[in-house]
Amino acid sequence: MGTSLEEQCPELRHEQSRRVVEGMARALKQAGYRLTQPRLAVLKVLQKNNGYLSPAEIYERGRALYPSLGLVTVYRTLEMLDELGLVRRVHGRGDCHGYARADSASGHYLLCHQCGQVAEFPCEGMEGIIEAVQRQSGFTVEEHLLELVGLCPICQADGE
């Protein structure tokens, strides 16, 4: 019998942190992927972050947890997690992109352009907007991305 997630990651004692990583790990396994130590390091980095991180940042932080983590593994793991709806690609500062945990199915984000904090939000009425756009344009909308960029309350307070 394999080792439990807690045995592999003794620092995940906090219940919510453990649940987040366990949920992501379970989704990987259900999709037929193995939960390797490098993938687990990526999951842990994503769990600990409140904002978005570039693949390079995930790589650097992940190497602190698993020194032989490879950058290619980070990209492949992020791709898997994105396909499974566990992370979302976020368009960050400049032309850079990063990844944030997907805590809901909405895919709608508030992004602080100063500190990088990301928060998901529900968007009532999006279906009606999409239907209207499809009628007017003739397009079939298959997916959408909504990001609102501004300053989080902490950065607003720091600027006062």
Side-chain angles (χ1 to χ4, degrees), residues 86-90 100-104 106-111 118-121 145-149:
L86 300 172
V87 298
R88 293 235 184 355
R89 190 172 173 163
V90 176
R101 273 193 341 261
D103 295 327
S104 73
S106 75
H108 306 133
Y109 288 104
L110 294 165
L111 175 63
V118 174
E120 284 187 279
F121 68 93
L145 171 68
L146 178 58
E147 290 180 3
L148 303 178
V149 181

Side-chain angles (χ1 to χ4, degrees), residues 69-138:
L69 178 65
L71 186 56
V72 171
T73 299
V74 170
Y75 275 99
R76 288 182 180 157
T77 302
L78 290 170
E79 186 177 304
M80 277 185 254
L81 295 172
D82 186 33
E83 287 173 8
L84 295 172
L86 300 172
V87 298
R88 293 235 184 355
R89 190 172 173 163
V90 176
H91 299 275
R93 301 171 199 105
D95 290 333
C96 296
H97 76 276
Y99 291 86
R101 273 193 341 261
D103 295 327
S104 73
S106 75
H108 306 133
Y109 288 104
L110 294 165
L111 175 63
C112 179
H113 67 77
Q114 190 162 328
C115 71
Q117 179 184 348
V118 174
E120 284 187 279
F121 68 93
C123 185
E124 301 297 323
M126 184 56 73
E127 294 82 16
I129 293 169
I130 291 172
E131 289 172 9
V133 167
Q134 289 181 128
R135 276 194 310 276
Q136 292 170 3
S137 68

